[in-house]
Amino acid sequence: EKPTYTLVIKDHRFIPDVVKVKAGEAFRLEIDNQDATAEEFESHELKREKVIAGNTKSKILIPALTPGEYPFFGEFHMKTAQGKIVAE
């Protein structure tokens, strides 16, 4: 079973905005959109994008990462929905 990290979308922000994960280990990112409107989780570095409808949850599989920082954003609210995954 892969570790799961929860990311909440609330008030068009990601909480927490920094997710620390173990480098070299694949994991699941569970995104809980608590806003009434949809948001798109997107990361060019992770090569992932997914629309999460309002008041729903979704999971994204992330492969093992090398140490470093991997920014992500919410495409529908780019000014406020910003964050990063830090692989250590």
Side-chain angles (χ1 to χ4, degrees), residues 1-25:
E1 185 72 18
K2 293 177 178 43
T4 299
Y5 300 89
T6 301
L7 193 59
V8 173
I9 300 169
K10 188 172 177 76
D11 299 325
H12 310 301
R13 296 181 186 279
F14 288 108
I15 304 167
D17 60 354
V18 176
V19 178
K20 292 187 178 182
V21 302
K22 185 176 178 182
E25 183 176 77

Side-chain angles (χ1 to χ4, degrees), residues 18-86:
V18 176
V19 178
K20 292 187 178 182
V21 302
K22 185 176 178 182
E25 183 176 77
F27 62 94
R28 284 186 181 90
L29 193 59
E30 181 177 79
I31 302 172
D32 179 3
N33 185 356
Q34 297 180 0
D35 287 340
T37 58
E39 183 58 89
E40 181 173 10
F41 173 91
E42 185 162 350
S43 173
H44 301 294
E45 290 77 6
L46 296 170
K47 298 179 175 74
R48 296 288 186 276
E49 60 181 295
K50 185 164 191 163
V51 174
I52 299 96
N55 297 311
T56 65
K57 294 180 182 180
S58 188
K59 291 182 182 176
I60 300 174
L61 270 174
I62 308 289
L65 301 174
T66 57
E69 295 186 357
Y70 301 83
F72 58 83
F73 59 93
E75 187 163 331
F76 302 154
H77 299 94
M78 290 179 67
K79 289 184 181 179
T80 56
Q82 297 282 329
K84 65 183 171 183
I85 293 172
V86 178

